[in-house]
Amino acid sequence: MEVRNIAPLRLHLLFAGLGITFLLIFSWVLFHEEAAEWRTTQARFRQLEGDVKNPHQLAEAASVGGLRQVWLPDLGRIDRCETCHLGIDDPAFAGAPAPFATHPGTWLATHPTGRFGCTPCHDGQGQATDYAAAAHRPQPFVTRPMRPLETIEANCGTCHRALDPTDAPRLAEGRRLIAESGCFGCHEIPGFEGMTFRGPALDSVGYKVRPAWLASWLKDPKSYLAQSKMGNFRLSPDEIGSLQGFLLSQRMQVPLDSTGVDWKNADTANGRALFGELRCVSCHAVNGRGGTMGPELTNIGDKVRRDWLFSYLKDPHRVQADTPMLQYRLNDAQWRDLTAFLLEQYSSADTGAEPPPVTYQDARLLAAGRAVFERRGCSSCHRLAAIKETGRIGPSLAGIADRDPDELPYGGSTVRHTTDNYIFLKVLLPDTLGQPSGMPTFGFSPADAARITLALASIRKSDLPASYVVGRPALVPYRPGGKFGELVMRYRCLSCHTVGGFGGDLSTVPLDRIGSQLQRDYLANYLLNPGAVRVSVEARMPVFHLSPDEAKTIADYVSMVFLDDRFDRYDTKFTSAEARRGQELYGQLGCQACHQLGTKGGYVGPELSTTGARLKPGWIAAWLSTPQTYKPGTLQPDYGLSGADARALTAYLTSLGRSDAAKARGGKTP
Amino acid sequence: MSQTIWTRTLTWFDGVRRSVCRVGWPATDKDRAAAMISSLFLHIHPARVSRHVLKPTYTFALGLISAILFVVLSVTGLALMFYYVPYPAEAYRSMKDLQFVVTFGIVLRNIHRWSAHAMVGVVFLHMCRVFWTGSYKRPREFNWVVGVLLLLLTLGLSFTGYLLPWDQLAFWAITVGTNIAAYAPVVGDQVKFLLLGGHVIGATTLLRFYVLHCVMLPLAMLLLISLHVWRVRKDGLSGAENHASPTEELAGVFPASTKTYGLMAISKRPQASVEARDPNDEVFAWPHLLYRELLIALAVIVVLHVVSLVFMAPLEEMADPTRTPNPAKAPWYFLGLQELVSYSALVGGVVVPTLLALALLILPYLDRGTSGSGRWFAPERRIANTIFTAVAAAFVGLIVIGTFFRGPNWAWVWPWK
């Protein structure tokens, strides 16, 4: 007898239940895969494409479907952003809604996605194929979520290493601030190698400053000078006292003898006149107006001693060999008048009489002051013969942008923990991050701190292939030799002028081709008695009171060396017809609207009545043809002159003032 | 004529089928019993099993679930190998590819990950069950030893797999884990060097762990599982002899007899569990056992799918040897040891794991008494059960502490704060 050995009914029911559940779950898995975000996004795109494009374009357009990615093996990246950003390089989608819109600007023309992908500029997780995982917003375990546009220039800086990168104004501003503030004095900062930042040398500071001023300066430099580059070191009163003593005992170089100076008869009116004539405000600001190359002078009377000032003005390079300050040739009475004027005019009301020199003898105090000086890294910026240079006191900033944000201290701040936020807080308020910090408070404005943060955030751990790096052009320091070289050093020509890109930016005239631009005789005269070439422009070269010999040396050297063959090879044999045609053109083009000729004309451009004696014809022709080439941003219009017209105008302008110049040459010219 | 061709064709196909499957779909108990014996895949079951075996509250099917998880892990693991590159940055990138571009990739990875964690837990519970029911007693002593080896292999597989995603979690867990191994006296450093292929974790480590995880350990596992199951098959499930009760269902199908099935008939070893049991208490493995096994497999797969759709396998940032997370934690099943190491490297790294492993391995030869086997918490085994339970609870407790109550610098934290 056979009995059916069957499983009980409840097992069948359980099997049915589990089986159905499994089918449901598995369809869920299928649905999950099929309803992936990028698939629905691509479906929306196809709809939009139908609206945006006509049938012909649609037929031409490559059909979009499936995942799209850019593989950048050099950068170790795979960017799948274009899986959803489908119209990114198609101008037809300008103004389309996100994520289909065309990339704004011309960035993709210079940075094609095939070579640069998306995340090298934008950050985020390029491998992801949905909005959240792509880290459009911060995500757990994504170290670098997408950068907001406000700080995206930090990523420009990873490749573009020039100090002044084009099209990245915030980055350029940040790097300028770093260069100006001398952060690399204490920190090693990639991209700023070889740059030095120097505060004044302190070897003889005991002769230079008043004790009361030094104490208040050490307490808070901003109290004397709001724009001070020196930060507030948050010194205790004891530290200030000992440091003051230590510094005032630094008296290596005795100032020039001024005992014979008749201070009682100082003529401050003459001092004021000299102050104007020497163009001091080109470099020194007074009451917030003037240049920034030299120290501010508003309260200089509170700061320095009279004898030191007299000595310094008379021979600045003796005290400070590397100052950009110019050397003028004046006599002692003139220096006395200028000194007296400065001390009287530019001091606060409560400045007392000149304090007597103090001799600090307390060895314990001096040792304590020295310890403070060393501990706080003062020698990073200030030279002091008594102290050995100890190298950079701050930590290296190499790879700072890739520091682990969770390991950085944020003090009590409740900001989101990102490296950017840390750098910002550190730059802005170095002492508030919950750790004792030797970094001084520089008093940057939040806006400036943000720019500096942006520039520092571009300093990644360097593993970028060389083919992506746009480097910083190496500046070759220009150091001429010989007598000319001596004069260039003494009068600090390169404080304002550049040669081969090296030098200061105060003057708008680079010297590289000046010999092909200016007539030698005109230059020699100009050096002796510089005037404003443009009536309307106040800035002009100061009067150095050069000797005629010195002027001759400079003019000769410049006319021989600083030449540009493009102008020098110009055929200068003009016909009278050309000059007449030029005169007609002068009227037709409306030159007189800006240029003065005799007593008629405008004030914007240079006066032209002596052009023939001033400029060389080759230069005039070149300038008239393409002024923007030689001076970007100049107001001189580019008329698109033909070669013949430019030549005619040159002929006319060259004829102006020639006869006068010929007459004047009768012995006056050195 | 056409009739003949048709018949011949059918006959030909039937011949092919018979060459593959010797018997047809078994319609009777006899046929089914025959199938159980003649099929390679089915004959790891006896033809008849004690009703006691089917009682879910005796074994909780923990051994079966472990085996099912091993199969799931093998299948998903093989699929994952199509996408995985065992080289540092590429390994991490393959995780991202699985997540973002591979069809079903993330489900595969999730199932593999959660199955692996589940297997560690289930194998451990299986061991507890075997202890609490005293099932390691004669004649099953050696199978307990095999079981302990399987537990160690499971941990080894999980540990080697832990490194493969090459994220911060993986990197630092393996760093901590291998550092614990290095505490072993004399050979510790050598073992660590051999394991890592160097002094620190790098590309060689990843390759070694990959080969161990995908080839060597699974093969060893397969071998030992076969042995383990084979011996269960030979010795029968413990406790069946204690649960004799007549059933109407089977009455008369097979007269009580001394007949045995299969190879046991010619075995010279005592067949206590097979021969002594009451046939009236037995049911046919097909369908009673097979059906239940199928249901459990289905349930396990359903649960794994649900878990894998709801919970994502963790993946942190790419491994960075220069950035140590604080705290760096070993895989969770070693956190008990790490907790002990935080008090004493010698105790946590050497003494406790060595003693535990040794004690487990020789346990059946120390506890020689035969009474109390086959029942949960037999009163005569109170002392043994108490000691084992205390040790197991302490181990689990330490793991819980290490997992949830330890924060930066291994300081005590409350998980809800």
Side-chain angles (χ1 to χ4, degrees):
Chain A
M1 173 191 164
E2 187 81 53
V3 171
R4 293 283 295 163
N5 188 8
I6 52 163
L9 180 64
R10 60 190 165 83
L11 288 192
H12 288 303
L13 289 177
L14 201 57
F15 180 77
L18 278 171
I20 290 169
T21 317
F22 177 72
L23 287 179
L24 285 177
I25 297 284
F26 197 73
S27 2
W28 184 12
V29 173
L30 288 176
F31 174 77
H32 201 261
E33 189 63 36
E34 193 50 38
E37 198 181 300
W38 63 270
R39 287 187 204 271
T40 54
T41 308
Q42 289 196 344
R44 278 195 293 134
F45 178 77
R46 278 188 287 273
Q47 238 171 20
L48 179 75
E49 200 176 27
D51 298 342
V52 169
K53 293 188 168 175
N54 61 41
H56 177 67
Q57 287 171 317
L58 269 180
E60 292 227 314
S63 68
V64 166
L67 291 160
R68 305 193 345 155
Q69 66 178 27
V70 180
W71 179 39
L72 305 169
D74 286 358
L75 298 177
R77 286 172 195 264
I78 293 175
D79 283 355
R80 304 199 168 108
C81 313
E82 287 182 77
T83 299
C84 293
H85 293 282
L86 288 158
I88 202 74
D89 51 2
D90 186 344
F93 292 93
F100 307 123
T102 316
H103 197 289
T106 56
W107 297 100
L108 288 192
T110 46
H111 300 73
T113 50
R115 174 159 154 73
F116 294 94
C118 309
T119 57
C121 299
H122 289 278
D123 284 335
Q125 179 161 241
Q127 289 162 301
T129 50
D130 62 87
Y131 180 85
H136 289 83
R137 313 225 167 285
Q139 290 288 312
F141 304 127
V142 177
T143 324
R144 297 178 72 88
M146 270 185 73
R147 261 191 187 280
L149 288 178
E150 294 83 60
T151 64
I152 198 164
E153 288 172 23
N155 285 348
C156 304
T158 53
C159 296
H160 296 271
R161 307 264 169 91
L163 278 190
D164 183 16
T166 47
D167 292 335
R170 294 167 191 166
L171 177 65
E173 174 74 3
R175 289 188 173 160
R176 188 186 63 75
L177 282 164
I178 290 174
E180 277 184 3
S181 310
C183 309
F184 40 78
C186 293
H187 301 279
E188 180 202 340
I189 310 180
F192 294 83
E193 294 92 351
M195 296 184 69
T196 49
F197 178 80
R198 283 286 169 227
L202 300 179
D203 298 320
S204 309
V205 71
Y207 290 121
K208 175 181 177 180
V209 299
R210 294 163 169 245
W213 173 86
L214 183 56
S216 75
W217 174 265
L218 291 175
K219 184 159 187 283
D220 180 13
K222 295 267 188 284
S223 68
Y224 169 76
L225 179 58
Q227 316 88 295
S228 160
K229 297 250 171 74
M230 179 161 144
N232 184 342
F233 282 76
R234 308 181 297 274
L235 298 170
S236 70
D238 280 353
E239 287 174 317
I240 291 174
S242 58
L243 193 53
Q244 182 198 26
F246 173 69
L247 291 174
L248 291 179
S249 68
Q250 302 302 316
R251 298 178 175 205
M252 201 163 84
Q253 196 175 34
V254 182
L256 293 174
D257 183 25
S258 59
T259 46
V261 175
D262 177 13
W263 290 104
K264 290 215 176 70
N265 287 324
D267 180 357
T268 53
N270 186 39
R272 180 189 297 276
L274 280 167
F275 188 74
E277 186 192 312
L278 299 178
R279 312 296 305 166
C280 300
V281 290
S282 294
C283 296
H284 299 276
V286 173
N287 296 320
R289 297 186 58 198
T292 55
M293 193 183 299
E296 227 263 358
L297 297 181
T298 310
N299 286 315
I300 192 72
D302 301 358
K303 174 180 175 182
V304 299
R305 291 173 176 277
R306 188 186 66 190
D307 294 349
W308 179 88
L309 182 58
F310 175 83
S311 168
Y312 183 78
L313 290 173
K314 191 172 168 186
D315 189 357
H317 306 160
R318 174 178 173 271
V319 179
Q320 240 176 288
D322 50 359
T323 177
M325 171 89 173
L326 317 177
Q327 167 81 69
Y328 295 91
R329 280 164 46 94
L330 301 181
N331 61 35
D332 276 6
Q334 285 171 310
W335 290 127
R336 174 200 65 194
D337 294 348
L338 185 58
T339 304
F341 164 75
L342 285 171
L343 294 180
E344 183 190 289
Q345 180 73 23
Y346 299 127
S347 57
S348 55
D350 53 348
T351 309
E354 179 97 348
V358 192
T359 318
Y360 288 89
Q361 301 282 8
D362 183 348
R364 279 232 325 266
L365 181 85
L366 296 188
R370 185 192 183 93
V372 174
F373 192 91
E374 287 175 338
R375 193 173 67 244
R376 302 308 298 272
C378 303
S379 56
S380 297
C381 294
H382 298 282
R383 197 190 62 216
L384 186 55
I387 301 280
K388 260 190 290 178
E389 302 238 356
T390 49
R392 295 195 169 91
I393 190 171
S396 164
L397 302 187
I400 179 148
D402 287 327
R403 288 285 298 275
D404 183 356
D406 294 327
E407 281 183 356
L408 299 167
Y410 297 85
S413 178
T414 53
V415 295
R416 207 162 63 79
H417 288 193
T418 65
T419 313
D420 277 19
N421 283 343
Y422 166 77
I423 301 175
F424 177 76
L425 288 172
K426 184 77 181 177
V427 169
L428 194 64
L429 303 160
D431 56 330
T432 60
L433 298 185
Q435 284 184 344
S437 169
M439 179 164 156
T441 310
F442 286 97
F444 291 114
S445 70
D448 281 354
R451 297 286 182 271
I452 292 173
T453 304
L454 195 150
L456 292 178
S458 71
I459 301 175
R460 310 279 308 270
K461 279 180 194 160
S462 180
D463 50 0
L464 210 56
S467 59
Y468 282 92
V469 176
V470 186
R472 172 157 74 100
L475 278 184
V476 182
Y478 173 72
R479 294 254 181 275
K483 196 166 174 216
F484 175 73
E486 272 173 38
L487 292 173
V488 165
M489 278 306 288
R490 177 178 315 152
Y491 296 109
R492 294 292 196 263
C493 303
L494 299 179
S495 291
C496 300
H497 295 279
T498 58
V499 175
F502 178 82
D505 61 354
L506 200 59
S507 165
T508 56
V509 184
L511 300 182
D512 307 71
R513 54 172 177 264
I514 196 84
S516 297
Q517 290 174 274
L518 300 179
Q519 306 262 2
R520 184 218 163 263
D521 294 350
Y522 164 77
L523 181 60
N525 275 321
Y526 180 83
L527 287 169
L528 287 177
N529 186 17
V533 176
R534 278 167 217 78
V535 183
S536 60
V537 177
E538 245 185 64
R540 59 172 173 82
M541 198 156 98
V543 181
F544 292 95
H545 296 280
L546 297 175
S547 73
D549 237 20
E550 291 173 336
K552 180 177 179 300
T553 305
I554 295 173
D556 285 345
Y557 188 95
V558 163
S559 328
M560 295 286 289
V561 177
F562 293 146
L563 297 176
D564 188 326
D565 286 347
R566 282 175 297 175
F567 318 144
D568 280 331
R569 303 260 163 86
Y570 200 72
D571 177 11
T572 55
K573 293 196 186 74
F574 302 109
T575 63
S576 53
E578 280 173 333
R580 274 200 306 281
R581 166 76 183 136
Q583 189 163 15
E584 279 171 32
L585 277 172
Y586 188 86
Q588 284 169 12
L589 296 174
C591 303
Q592 66 277 9
C594 295
H595 293 281
Q596 214 175 5
L597 195 53
T599 54
K600 280 185 282 179
Y603 291 92
V604 177
E607 208 272 346
L608 292 179
S609 60
T610 58
T611 310
R614 190 160 64 89
L615 300 177
K616 290 191 171 175
W619 164 248
I620 299 176
W623 169 258
L624 289 174
S625 303
T626 53
Q628 295 284 347
T629 313
Y630 301 103
K631 196 167 159 188
T634 180
L635 289 176
Q636 169 79 20
D638 184 347
Y639 290 105
L641 295 173
S642 67
D645 282 354
R647 184 170 171 79
L649 257 178
T650 306
Y652 170 63
L653 291 170
T654 307
S655 72
L656 297 172
R658 273 203 85 80
S659 50
D660 303 342
K663 264 184 252 159
R665 205 178 293 146
K668 260 178 77 182
T669 309
Chain B
M1 188 67 191
S2 66
Q3 190 69 26
T4 320
I5 292 174
W6 177 239
T7 316
R8 282 186 177 182
T9 315
L10 275 185
T11 315
W12 185 81
F13 273 112
D14 201 44
V16 173
R17 186 190 65 76
R18 278 173 187 284
S19 79
V20 180
C21 218
R22 299 245 156 85
V23 293
W25 182 255
T28 65
D29 284 337
K30 234 173 193 167
D31 290 348
R32 283 192 282 262
M36 294 299 288
I37 291 158
S38 62
S39 162
L40 168 71
F41 301 103
L42 295 179
H43 92 280
I44 54 171
H45 303 90
R48 297 175 305 154
V49 292
S50 160
R51 297 183 72 85
H52 162 70
V53 169
L54 302 182
K55 214 171 101 188
T57 50
Y58 182 59
T59 63
F60 291 99
L62 290 165
L64 174 65
I65 293 175
S66 306
I68 293 168
L69 287 173
F70 180 72
V71 173
V72 168
L73 282 163
S74 304
V75 172
T76 51
L78 282 169
L80 289 171
M81 280 171 77
F82 285 129
Y83 300 99
Y84 184 76
V85 183
Y87 192 74
E90 294 299 319
Y92 183 73
R93 187 176 294 164
S94 19
M95 294 303 114
K96 293 287 182 188
D97 281 354
L98 283 170
Q99 183 177 352
F100 295 122
V101 294
V102 175
T103 308
F104 302 129
I106 189 62
V107 181
L108 267 183
R109 181 165 121 74
N110 289 352
I111 290 179
H112 193 77
R113 179 86 178 198
W114 299 130
S115 306
H117 285 325
M119 189 168 161
V120 172
V122 171
V123 169
F124 173 77
L125 290 177
H126 178 55
M127 181 186 77
C128 294
R129 193 281 294 173
V130 171
F131 190 94
W132 283 326
T133 56
S135 305
Y136 55 86
K137 291 187 177 293
R138 218 173 86 86
R140 304 183 179 86
E141 306 103 311
F142 185 66
N143 217 16
W144 165 271
V145 175
V146 174
V148 172
L149 292 178
L150 280 170
L151 172 67
L152 295 178
L153 272 180
T154 305
L155 292 178
L157 269 166
S158 186
F159 187 68
T160 48
Y162 216 89
L163 179 67
L164 302 189
W166 201 252
D167 63 341
Q168 282 285 77
L169 188 68
F171 186 92
W172 293 100
I174 300 307
T175 303
V176 174
T178 50
N179 282 344
I180 294 177
Y183 289 126
V186 189
V187 293
D189 281 329
Q190 274 78 1
V191 166
K192 187 185 167 188
F193 188 88
L194 191 69
L195 212 52
L196 299 192
H199 292 289
V200 290
I201 296 177
T204 47
T205 318
L206 189 52
L207 192 57
R208 273 168 199 224
F209 273 48
Y210 176 72
V211 173
L212 283 173
H213 185 75
C214 301
V215 183
M216 292 165 78
L217 295 182
L219 281 182
M221 190 88 167
L222 200 59
L223 198 73
L224 285 188
I225 288 179
S226 310
L227 183 59
H228 199 61
V229 174
W230 170 251
R231 293 187 80 105
V232 172
R233 173 77 176 79
K234 303 300 292 186
D235 300 339
L237 206 66
S238 67
E241 55 275 13
N242 306 338
H243 293 268
S245 68
T247 64
E248 321 93 39
E249 206 179 327
L250 285 170
V253 176
F254 287 99
S257 78
T258 54
K259 188 179 179 191
T260 58
Y261 294 84
L263 292 169
M264 282 164 275
I266 57 169
S267 169
K268 291 205 171 72
R269 288 178 58 235
Q271 299 288 338
S273 59
V274 178
E275 300 198 3
R277 67 194 183 193
D278 176 3
N280 289 332
D281 187 38
E282 290 184 338
V283 290
F284 282 99
W286 185 341
H288 293 280
L289 181 59
L290 279 188
Y291 206 176
R292 282 170 173 82
E293 287 178 354
L294 180 71
L295 285 178
I296 288 167
L298 203 52
V300 166
I301 289 171
V302 166
V303 169
L304 284 177
H305 272 80
V306 172
V307 169
S308 300
L309 281 170
V310 177
F311 300 103
M312 294 291 282
L315 187 67
E316 299 190 349
E317 299 100 323
M318 180 155 50
D320 181 352
T322 63
R323 278 173 48 178
T324 318
N326 189 358
K329 288 189 177 182
W332 60 269
Y333 36 85
F334 287 149
L335 283 181
L337 292 182
Q338 195 181 351
E339 174 70 15
L340 285 176
V341 165
S342 74
Y343 301 112
S344 157
L346 188 73
V347 170
V350 184
V351 178
V352 169
T354 312
L355 283 184
L356 272 183
L358 281 180
L360 285 176
L361 285 172
I362 61 167
L363 172 80
Y365 304 105
L366 294 179
D367 182 17
R368 300 294 291 172
T370 49
S371 60
S373 176
R375 277 174 296 146
W376 278 82
F377 303 117
E380 49 275 50
R381 289 174 35 77
R382 188 176 292 138
I383 296 173
N385 278 336
T386 310
I387 294 173
F388 179 85
T389 309
V391 172
F395 200 75
V396 170
L398 285 172
I399 287 177
V400 169
I401 288 174
T403 308
F404 298 109
F405 292 86
R406 290 299 182 180
N409 304 321
W410 213 250
W412 187 271
V413 291
W414 298 104
W416 49 87
K417 275 187 183 162

